[in-house]
Structures are given as structure tokens and as C-alpha cells.
Amino acid sequence: MKFQFLDTVVSSVDILQNAVLRLNTGNISQKKSRERLIEEHKKLDYFGDKNKYLVHTARSQPNLSLNLQHRISIANLQIDHKSTENFLLCRVITKFINISALLALVEDPDGNVERLALYNWTNIPKNKVEQMACRSIDQTFLPVGTKLVIKNLSYKVAADKNTIINSNNPDDVIIIDRHNDKLFGDLIWTSDLLDKKEIKGKTVDEFRCRGNDYFASKNYTAAIDEYSNGIKLKPQNGTLFANRAEAYLRLFQFRNALNNSEVVLKYEPSHLKAAYRKGKALCGLKRYKEAIITLQDLHQSLKVSTDGSISSIKQSTEQLLKHAKILDSENKNGQYDYISIINEYCERAKIRKDSKGNDEWVHEVGPRLDHADFLCKDIEICSIKGKGRGLIAKCDIPENTLLVVSKAFSIVYSHEVLGYAMKSHIQNDQTTCVASSLCSGELITQITQKLLEEPYHCQEVYELYNGLNLNKINKNLVNVDIIGNIVKYNSFALDNVIVESVNLSGKGLWILPSYFNHSCIDGNVTRFFLGDLMFMRSLKPILKGEELLICYRSADSSYEIRSRYLKSIGIDCQCRLCKLDKAEAPKTVHRRTQLLDTVEKLIKPLSNDPDSSLIKRLEKTIFELHDLRKEHPELEFDTLAPSKILALAYRENGNQSKALSILKEVYNSYKNVHLEIINGMIFDIVLLYINLKQMEEARKWFDIVLKRLVEPILGKCMDDEDKWKKEALYLAEKIIPALNSTVKQLYNDNMENA
């Protein structure tokens, strides 16, 4: 299967290769030793395609003549620079492995080693004759020691953030005839093909030390390899297993970390670090009660210990135990400290520039927060006629009830995508489209890698809708075609989430929220993102047996835009708005198009000069748009944006009372609709009242917009209204920093008066 990301088509095999490379090489971009590269390459063999293919026959040219001045060393290759004049002389030092490309390691005469990817060398046989000529990619294909000349090569940073030499045309690769000794004169290869250091045996302690060195440089994948090699020599070495458990924790591979910790405790029940890491792994696996028991036992052991050197682990255990109890309470009762969470989010969302000018997180993993999932006991997944599966209320649910809190299974922020630098200002539509498409491809790759690392996750991911109509799915096998379609139909976009002046966008996969079905206008559930956490609350009272619905695409977007998007993810929406749009007469549709075109032509002149005649023309046009749906005024959304512009024009023209009248009329008509534009219009009302020095009215309307902004997180005020208001103001200022100056004007910078 192939996936389209903007102008790029990527096959599922390419995505699998990228995931495999990351899995086995780690995303550490520093220069690696020959030995380390060989170690990583060996691991790829497990994932190599063992099928037989028609293989391009590399050509040997006994009479080859080359200008030695054009020979380039691997050390002098430049990223993303393609040279048509220079050539690379190299020899193969590992066997080729077939994934998406043919992969091997090569070295040049100076001893520099790099990865090589040969594309377009294999074809699937079309008939029996071709099948007879097929062969697998093994040692007989360009065997170790083969000397090559590679022309027109490109040098890239691969998906695993490590460099690689690419050759896309087999005719650009020439085998150096072994009898042509005079071709390169007295050129001497600086290293032996079989380096004595490679065949020298290492001790367990050497593997441990090398693993620790890699760990210190944050190359956890390489550290795991070294610890694993030591374990092969001494299978009951608790230190190696404990160290490997910590490396797995740093890679968020919690099942592997738990298994390694338990091996240590089997042989050494009093191993303190292993017990601590077991507790940490259990938290990562969402097995909070088991984690609490493990950490309580460890804490008790530490309390009675007289060893003064364990103060550090004692303190860490106390902190982790406290955190495990918080996670357990969040998971069981839905009790979240929202102030603490948003502070954590803002701290982790901070961005700085790297050496190349690209954006990177100040915190290592960015705004990926360590909090528990929650599922309200009053909802359940059921089959919905005509929709597949959805969520149903098991009993009556009050407004603003916390229904679901879900941590992303995987999330990708725009600036994390290789080659994409996030802008700190608001992005335009084209940039957002590019970012969204890049994030989709990256998200598929990351999920593939995660399932390769710990295949037990396949069970929950493959339960989601994939649109492939497969009769049977092997839930223990990583299938990129399925993963790609699951991302297509179930991922959520993060668009312009602004936190403390940082504009975040991206895309993620959340498992449980994916079961909520869509309605453009009749949604009864709202969602809010804090980092990789999604909070979902009821927008209105929900009756027993009623389906819980969210809006995938805002109702104030045109029917053409909404329907095109919904169709792309297999939804034929039957909400009131879509039915009305479909049933509208062609004459009405044509007239609407004309009126909206008139609005567009009036907007630009009005923004430069709020002339009275232009204002009246816009007002008349809005009235005509309203009249097209006078029988369904609550479903007329095309006038929202023009009405906001009209109010602004009246304000600029000095008629603030008229501007207020327009905005308040719109609010009263659409106050039960959860749209961002309505929140913006209420805030405009607040600013108008402030300009008019009517502070009591300004506070009243500010309270309205504050509740609309913050209730999806905090829920309704149930007890202490002053405390709720204070927290709400704090959260609102964090979410929308522009509110800060308004709050100061309204409350004289005294939060106690809020």
C-alpha cells in the first residue's frame, strides 16, 4: 500500500524500513565507530526480506578509466549535496540486507565507514521464467570485500536521524574488476577487512562499561546492545539486567523494563534499584496498584536500612510512590490537579533553537505529560446502527461531567518532523497543511516503531477502525497498511494550540477517544488538549441510552469543506446541518455563493476604511444570508464571521453601541453552540464595555467567556466559587496569554477580588 503525503508518495515498505532503522540504531546523530555501525547492521538482519527477487546485475568494467582527482572521501560528503562529477570508491564490509532498499556498510580507503542504500535493484517476478531467475539477497550479492565505484550518489539524513549514502540508479554502481590493479595506482586501504579488534573477545565488565558510556551519552539503544552482549556471556548478571531495565525505561519500553527488573529480583530479591525500576515500569504500564505495592515494600526496606549511601534512592522511591498514588487516584476517580498539570505543560512546552536554527524542546520529551487515563463508569462502547462502534450513556449524565482523560498512544508535534522548523507565530493555512501531512507520515512511522518494540500494543491499536474490511487481522504482527489506515481514520489534529506565546500544532492517536462518533452540530461532548492529554467533558445533559458525539470539523466551515473532509475519513454525516445543506435548492445554493462572494469583496476595503456605505452594504448582505435560512435560523453559520467583521467596522467608525448590539445578538442566537468564533465575539464584547468604562458589564461578559474557555478543563464550580474563579483565571491566562492585560483591567491586578 502507498500513502500520499502532499506531493510525496511513500510505500508501507518504506515506512517499515524507517521504523526498523530507528529501532535498531537509535536517534543519536553523533559519529559512530565502525564497530558500532556493524553491531547495528547485524540487528537489521532479523527484519530483512528473505523472499526471492529478480536482482539487477551489477556491471564490471575491466577497462574502466577514472579521473582520480574526482574521488571523494566519505568524510568529505555533504548532507543533501549531490555531485555529478565526483565518485566514491568504497568496499563492502557487511552483507546486504533487503528491507525497502538494499542496505550494507561500506568503507573508503581512508577507513571511513558509512551506511549504503541501493534502490531499484530488485523486481518482483511476473512469470515463471522470471521466477526461475530469482534469488535472495545474501552473501552472493556484492559479497564482503567487493570494491565499488558509486557515481551520482546522494548523502542524506535518514528517518532515524543518522546519515546514509543513497544510490537510486543501479547503473551508477560499478564493480571494480579485481584484475584491474593499476586503476588506482598505489592506493592503500588503511584498515584490514577483518579488523582484529572485531574478533577479539570482550569480557562482561567491558560490555558493562561500554554500555554505561553509551547510556551516559543518551544512546540507549547502543547501551542495550552492550548490556545484552554481556548477558549472553553471563546470563545471571543482575547488574547488566538492572542497567538494561533503566535503558528500556528511557526508551519508554515499559514491558521490557519490567521483565528485566523481575529477572534481577528473581536472583537478587534485595536489589534496590531493580525494585525501584520495577515500580517505575508498572506505572508506565498503567498497573498502578501493583506499582504502589512494589514501592511500598521497597520504601519499608529502605526505612529499616542503616546504609547511609542509599539516601538518594530512598528519596526517589518516596517521590515515585507519591506519584504512583496520584496516578492511581486520577485513574480511579478522575481527580486531577489542573493547576499543577498546566504548569507542568507550560514548562515542558518551552522551545529553544538548536545549532542549526531549528526548534527543539528545552525539556527532553517536550509536553508529553506523566498522568493517568480515566474512563467514566457511566459510559460504554456499543455497536451503533450504521456507524460501527460508538459510546453510549449507561445512565443520565449531567452537564460538564468528566467522561474521559486519555494520554496519547503516540503524538507528533510539527517541529519534531525531520526537516520542518516550527514557526513561533500563527501559521497560515498552507503551512498548517504541510505540517499536518508531514505529521501524519511521522505518526505512522512512530506507531510502527512502537509496535515493533513491544508487539503487545498491537491488540489495542488494531481494535480501531481501519476501513480495509479485512476478515481477519493477525494482532501479533506489525502491519503498516493497517497502521496507516488507523491513523487516517482515527488521528486527532492539534491546530494552533497557544500556550504562553508558543504556537503548537501536530497530530496524535488517542485510543479511547477514537470511539467517539461525529456530529457537525449536535455534539454533546467537548475535548481539550494539554500536551498529550485529551480531556473530554459533556457539553450538555446527556440522557441514558444517548450516543456521545464530538465534532470532527467545525460547523461554521462551509458544507463543501466539511463534507470533503468527512468523506475522506469515510463519514456520511446525517446531522441536522448536513441534511439541510444537502436538501437546499440549487437556486438557494447559487444565491448563497453570490452573497458570500460579495462579503469577500467588501472585507478588504472595510479593513482599510470603514466607510458608512460599505458598512451598509455588508449589513444588507448579512441580512440576505440570514433570510436564506429564516426557517432554520439556528443553522445559519455563514453569517458568523461577516457579523464579527461588521461589528468591528462599526466600532472603528465610532459606533460602539451598534457594534455591541450586533455581537450580543449573535451571542444570544448561538450561545448554545460550542464554536471558537463565538468565544472570540464574547471577548470583543468585553473589550467594548471596557472602552465604554462599563466595568460591571465587562466583568459579567468576561465571566461568560471565562466559563466557556475553562469549564472543559475544570468543570463547573460546585463548591467554593471564589477558589474556582481564581483557578479559572490562572488557567485562562496560561492558555491565552492575551487575556492577562484584560484581567488586570477588570480586577485591578488583584486576584483576591476575582
Side-chain angles (χ1 to χ4, degrees):
M1 182 178 289
K2 295 183 181 295
F3 301 99
Q4 181 84 37
F5 304 118
L6 292 179
D7 297 329
T8 305
V9 177
V10 182
S11 72
S12 54
V13 177
D14 290 329
I15 292 174
L16 179 64
Q17 173 178 290
N18 291 339
V20 167
L21 285 174
R22 293 183 188 185
L23 176 66
N24 291 285
T25 63
N27 61 350
I28 305 300
S29 58
Q30 72 252 28
K31 196 66 179 175
K32 298 177 181 177
S33 67
R34 171 193 177 105
E35 185 177 7
R36 178 62 202 156
L37 287 168
I38 291 173
E39 184 73 26
E40 290 179 348
H41 186 77
K42 287 177 182 176
K43 291 162 60 182
L44 296 179
D45 192 44
Y46 175 80
F47 301 94
D49 186 352
K50 304 302 191 293
N51 293 322
K52 292 186 175 182
Y53 293 91
L54 285 171
V55 183
H56 178 88
T57 303
R59 56 198 179 104
S60 174
Q61 296 184 9
N63 300 319
L64 179 67
S65 176
L66 294 169
N67 184 346
L68 296 185
Q69 292 183 344
H70 290 163
R71 183 177 77 83
I72 189 169
S73 167
I74 289 175
N76 294 327
L77 293 175
Q78 297 180 21
I79 301 296
D80 293 331
H81 177 73
K82 189 170 183 177
S83 173
T84 56
E85 294 183 355
N86 297 328
F87 66 89
L88 174 69
L89 171 65
C90 60
R91 65 180 177 187
V92 181
I93 63 172
T94 65
K95 74 172 185 175
F96 276 86
I97 295 168
N98 185 26
I99 302 181
S100 172
L102 298 176
L103 303 172
L105 295 179
V106 295
E107 68 173 359
D108 63 15
D110 305 312
N112 301 301
V113 179
E114 189 53 280
R115 303 186 297 175
L116 171 67
L118 300 180
Y119 288 90
N120 303 313
W121 281 68
T122 59
N123 286 304
I124 298 173
K126 298 177 182 178
N127 50 53
K128 289 184 178 180
V129 175
E130 289 185 345
Q131 289 175 5
M132 295 291 291
C134 281
R135 56 185 173 126
S136 59
I137 308 302
D138 54 21
Q139 197 66 20
T140 62
F141 171 78
L142 301 181
V144 172
T146 303
K147 294 178 183 177
L148 305 172
V149 165
I150 304 177
K151 300 180 178 180
N152 298 319
L153 60 86
S154 63
Y155 195 49
K156 302 282 187 182
V157 176
D160 61 350
K161 299 185 181 179
N162 292 288
T163 49
I164 194 166
I165 299 168
N166 288 344
S167 175
N168 295 317
N169 186 354
D171 290 335
D172 288 334
V173 179
I174 302 168
I175 296 177
I176 302 300
D177 190 275
R178 58 191 178 90
H179 300 295
N180 194 354
D181 294 332
K182 297 181 180 180
L183 181 61
F184 293 102
D186 298 327
L187 186 65
I188 299 174
W189 295 76
T190 59
S191 63
D192 295 330
L193 192 58
L194 294 176
D195 196 325
K196 294 179 181 179
K197 293 181 181 179
E198 290 181 30
I199 60 176
K200 177 187 175 183
K202 294 188 181 69
T203 66
V204 170
D205 197 55
E206 285 176 321
F207 282 124
R208 180 187 62 79
C209 291
R210 286 169 60 87
N212 291 347
D213 290 341
Y214 280 126
F215 187 95
S217 65
K218 298 184 179 181
N219 191 342
Y220 305 120
T221 301
I224 288 168
D225 289 342
E226 296 298 331
Y227 297 143
S228 299
N229 287 331
I231 287 169
K232 290 175 185 177
L233 295 179
K234 193 174 182 181
Q236 296 183 9
N237 188 300
T239 300
L240 290 173
F241 274 106
N243 289 2
R244 193 168 70 173
E246 181 61 29
Y248 279 130
L249 284 172
R250 299 301 178 95
L251 294 174
F252 305 103
Q253 296 181 31
F254 299 114
R255 179 68 66 88
N256 291 334
L258 177 63
N259 291 340
N260 278 255
S261 299
E262 289 183 331
V263 169
V264 180
L265 294 171
K266 177 182 176 182
Y267 298 120
E268 301 178 48
S270 61
H271 198 294
L272 301 179
K273 289 184 178 180
Y276 175 80
R277 288 162 190 170
K278 178 182 178 180
K280 202 169 183 179
L282 287 168
C283 284
L285 291 168
K286 305 176 184 179
R287 292 158 58 176
Y288 305 120
K289 293 192 183 302
E290 294 176 66
I292 291 170
I293 292 171
T294 298
L295 293 168
Q296 283 176 335
D297 290 344
L298 174 59
H299 187 252
Q300 190 62 33
S301 300
L302 292 168
K303 281 174 66 176
V304 299
S305 175
T306 58
D307 188 348
S309 65
I310 62 172
S311 59
S312 176
I313 190 170
K314 185 177 181 180
Q315 184 179 4
S316 297
T317 301
E318 289 174 351
Q319 292 174 348
L320 183 57
L321 177 57
K322 180 181 178 181
H323 185 59
K325 289 178 178 178
I326 291 173
L327 293 173
D328 186 52
S329 177
E330 291 175 344
N331 177 250
K332 183 179 178 181
N333 307 313
Q335 294 179 347
Y336 293 84
D337 183 345
Y338 296 102
I339 296 294
S340 174
I341 291 173
I342 201 164
N343 284 335
E344 178 187 353
Y345 173 36
C346 292
E347 185 63 30
R348 293 193 174 199
K350 290 179 179 177
I351 288 173
R352 64 189 172 197
K353 296 291 183 182
D354 64 14
S355 59
K356 297 180 180 178
N358 293 320
D359 292 322
E360 66 176 8
W361 303 121
V362 172
H363 188 276
E364 187 175 358
V365 297
R368 293 170 172 84
L369 311 184
D370 188 9
H371 291 276
D373 292 348
F374 168 73
L375 172 62
C376 176
K377 66 181 187 307
D378 297 331
I379 64 176
E380 62 181 343
I381 298 173
C382 295
S383 294
I384 309 292
K385 186 177 180 180
K387 295 184 179 180
R389 289 168 298 173
L391 285 152
I392 297 292
K394 294 162 64 177
C395 60
D396 291 352
I397 298 174
E399 180 183 5
N400 267 292
T401 298
L402 183 64
L403 302 173
V404 169
V405 178
S406 179
K407 184 175 171 66
F409 180 80
S410 184
I411 188 170
V412 175
Y413 289 95
S414 299
H415 76 287
E416 295 175 327
V417 181
L418 192 65
Y420 179 83
M422 188 185 77
K423 306 299 181 186
S424 59
H425 54 74
I426 300 297
Q427 300 164 332
N428 60 39
D429 292 340
Q430 184 178 4
T431 304
T432 302
C433 179
V434 171
S436 178
S437 186
L438 290 171
C439 285
S440 293
E442 177 66 14
L443 184 60
I444 296 170
T445 304
Q446 286 196 12
I447 293 173
T448 301
Q449 180 184 350
K450 187 169 182 175
L451 298 187
L452 287 169
E453 289 169 343
E454 296 189 294
Y456 72 91
H457 284 302
C458 291
Q459 300 282 338
E460 59 178 332
V461 174
Y462 289 174
E463 283 294 320
L464 300 179
Y465 177 72
N466 60 56
L468 294 175
N469 298 317
L470 300 174
N471 294 325
K472 190 176 181 180
I473 296 176
N474 186 338
K475 293 185 178 180
N476 297 309
L477 183 67
V478 178
N479 187 315
V480 181
D481 293 342
I482 295 173
I483 295 167
N485 269 35
I486 285 172
V487 168
K488 174 184 176 181
Y489 290 110
N490 299 279
S491 60
F492 289 84
L494 295 165
D495 294 327
N496 296 333
V497 181
I498 304 172
V499 177
E500 293 192 330
S501 302
V502 176
N503 181 28
L504 301 179
S505 62
K507 187 164 285 190
L509 180 68
W510 284 261
I511 300 297
L512 188 57
S514 297
Y515 289 99
F516 284 86
N517 286 321
H518 162 82
S519 175
C520 298
I521 191 61
D522 294 319
N524 50 19
V525 174
T526 185
R527 63 184 183 271
F528 192 91
F529 297 99
L530 285 177
D532 61 342
L533 296 176
M534 186 191 301
F535 295 82
M536 309 187 81
R537 287 185 182 271
S538 53
L539 267 174
K540 59 188 76 169
I542 301 173
L543 300 177
K544 179 181 179 180
E546 189 177 346
E547 185 180 6
L548 282 69
L549 300 168
I550 61 176
C551 181
Y552 292 0
R553 178 67 66 166
S554 180
D556 60 343
S557 58
S558 71
Y559 175 64
E560 180 185 0
I561 293 173
R562 289 197 332 272
S563 61
R564 184 167 62 242
Y565 168 73
L566 294 172
K567 185 178 179 181
S568 73
I569 55 174
I571 293 177
D572 179 18
C573 185
Q574 296 297 319
C575 74
R576 292 179 295 132
L577 181 61
C578 285
K579 285 181 178 179
L580 180 60
D581 282 326
K582 293 174 187 175
E584 213 156 39
K587 182 179 178 181
T588 304
V589 174
H590 179 65
R591 182 56 183 157
R592 181 183 301 280
T593 303
Q594 288 180 320
L595 291 171
L596 289 173
D597 185 54
T598 300
V599 169
E600 285 296 316
K601 291 177 180 177
L602 288 170
I603 287 174
K604 190 172 182 180
L606 267 174
S607 63
N608 296 323
D609 178 21
D611 180 76
S612 297
S613 62
L614 292 175
I615 292 174
K616 291 298 180 184
R617 285 181 61 191
L618 180 59
E619 195 164 19
K620 180 177 181 296
T621 306
I622 291 172
F623 178 81
E624 287 189 58
L625 278 169
H626 265 299
D627 198 50
L628 292 178
R629 282 194 175 166
K630 58 186 175 183
E631 295 179 1
H632 302 279
E634 79 283 4
L635 299 180
E636 175 49 75
F637 296 108
D638 285 333
T639 58
L640 288 178
S643 294
K644 182 177 172 69
I645 294 165
L646 179 64
L648 178 64
Y650 268 114
R651 188 193 73 183
E652 293 300 311
N653 217 24
N655 195 341
Q656 298 194 66
S657 297
K658 181 64 174 178
L660 272 171
S661 175
I662 292 169
L663 293 172
K664 289 165 73 172
E665 183 180 352
V666 172
Y667 168 74
N668 288 325
S669 299
Y670 298 99
K671 61 185 176 183
N672 294 322
V673 180
H674 198 75
L675 295 174
E676 289 298 319
I677 191 171
I678 301 297
N679 294 342
M681 294 170 90
I682 303 171
F683 192 61
D684 288 340
I685 293 173
V686 174
L687 297 178
L688 282 166
Y689 273 122
I690 290 176
N691 290 339
L692 293 169
K693 307 299 182 183
Q694 299 182 30
M695 304 309 287
E696 284 301 318
E697 283 295 311
R699 290 189 188 98
K700 184 184 81 173
W701 283 94
F702 185 82
D703 286 348
I704 293 172
V705 73
L706 181 66
K707 288 180 179 179
R708 288 174 66 99
L709 287 170
V710 177
E711 280 181 348
I713 312 173
L714 286 180
K716 278 189 177 295
C717 173
M718 302 300 291
D719 300 314
D720 189 338
E721 184 173 351
D722 287 341
K723 180 184 177 184
W724 186 95
K725 181 79 168 287
K726 191 173 181 179
E727 289 187 354
L729 285 168
Y730 182 82
L731 291 179
E733 289 178 32
K734 287 285 189 178
I735 298 166
I736 306 177
L739 289 177
N740 198 1
S741 60
T742 305
V743 172
K744 288 181 179 180
Q745 292 182 71
L746 291 174
Y747 299 105
N748 297 320
D749 204 17
N750 185 354
M751 300 300 292
E752 295 301 324
N753 293 333

